[in-house]
């Protein structure tokens, strides 16, 4: 608000002195600081003040001229010159103040812009850091899942191998048992056959003995016919 009033006063003073350069500079500062929509505020206040000050100035100049003409005092003329000089110096001081204020505002804006850029850059870096952490966590989870899957596959493979080994051992034991059973059966059959053969031979021998005992006794042949009888018996047998 103080800056707005100050610019209005400077513009009024420039209008009274018909200083177009200063007025353009004030308008430029006003638009840059408050926007073009508020420019009418500057022009309206300046126009009214210009009329009032112009009228007052005319009255003062008329009175002063009358006094000068009336008194004819050279000191009044010197005073007027001093007043104009002071006004010029005041205007130059105002111009310096405006320039200083503009520089301060511009520096402040640049600092704010730099600070905002730094904040955005830090936010971007922080976001990139978060993305890297998320990617690292995902990679660690994926590696952990792969290791778990590999471990489960190895366990399943070992179980399958163990089961195959058990099946192979069972088959081997079954074959051994079957072979023993076959050997046992063969021995049992062999014993049965041997026993049967022994019984059969025993019976046959008994039958032959009985047949020999029951056979009628023949008279002994003569010695002359003994060789023929032996040969005949061999052929018969």
């Amino acid at each position: 608000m103080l800056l707005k009033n100050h610019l209005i006063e400077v513009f009024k003073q420039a209008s009274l002195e018909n200083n177009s350069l200063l007025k353009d500079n004030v308008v430029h500062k006003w638009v840059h600081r408050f926007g073009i929509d508020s420019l009418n505020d500057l022009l309206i206040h300046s126009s009214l003040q210009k009329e009032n000050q112009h009228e007052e100035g005319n009255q003062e100049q008329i009175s002063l001229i009358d006094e000068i003409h009336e008194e004819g005092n050279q000191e009044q003329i010197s005073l007027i010159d001093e007043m104009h000089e002071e006004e010029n110096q005041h205007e130059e001081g105002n111009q310096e103040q405006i320039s200083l204020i503009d520089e301060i505002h511009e520096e402040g804006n640049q600092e704010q812009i730099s600070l905002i850029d730094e904040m955005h850059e830090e936010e971007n870096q922080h976001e990139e850091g978060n993305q890297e952490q998320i990617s690292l966590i995902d990679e660690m989870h994926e590696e952990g899942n792969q290791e778990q899957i590999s471990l489960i596959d190895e366990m399943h493979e070992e179980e399958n191998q163990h089961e195959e080994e058990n099946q192979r051992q069972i088959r081997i034991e079954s074959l051994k048992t079957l072979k023993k059973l076959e050997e046992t059966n063969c021995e049992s059959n062999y014993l049965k056959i041997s026993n049967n053969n022994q019984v059969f031979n025993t019976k046959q021998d008994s039958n032959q003995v009985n047949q020999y005992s029951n056979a009628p006794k023949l008279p002994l042949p003569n010695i002359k016919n003994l060789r023929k009888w032996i040969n005949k018996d061999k052929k018969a047998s």
Side-chain angles (χ1 to χ4, degrees), residues 3-26:
L3 178 61
K4 184 180 289 188
N5 294 331
H6 177 69
L7 292 175
I8 291 172
E9 293 297 329
V10 173
F11 188 80
K12 291 176 181 179
Q13 187 66 30
S15 298
L16 291 174
E17 297 177 357
N18 292 325
N19 191 340
S20 299
L21 181 61
L22 181 59
K23 287 196 298 184
D24 293 338
N25 191 11
V26 173

Side-chain angles (χ1 to χ4, degrees), residues 105-129:
H105 286 171
E106 186 174 358
E107 290 176 357
N109 292 331
Q110 289 295 328
E111 290 178 357
Q112 289 179 356
I113 292 170
S114 300
L115 182 60
I116 292 170
D117 293 336
E118 290 177 359
M119 290 174 64
H120 285 305
E121 186 175 357
E122 290 178 357
E123 289 177 357
N124 293 329
Q125 291 177 355
H126 184 67
E127 186 175 358
E128 290 176 358

Side-chain angles (χ1 to χ4, degrees), residues 97-111:
Q97 289 180 356
I98 292 171
S99 300
L100 182 60
I101 291 170
D102 292 337
E103 291 176 359
I104 292 172
H105 286 171
E106 186 174 358
E107 290 176 357
N109 292 331
Q110 289 295 328
E111 290 178 357

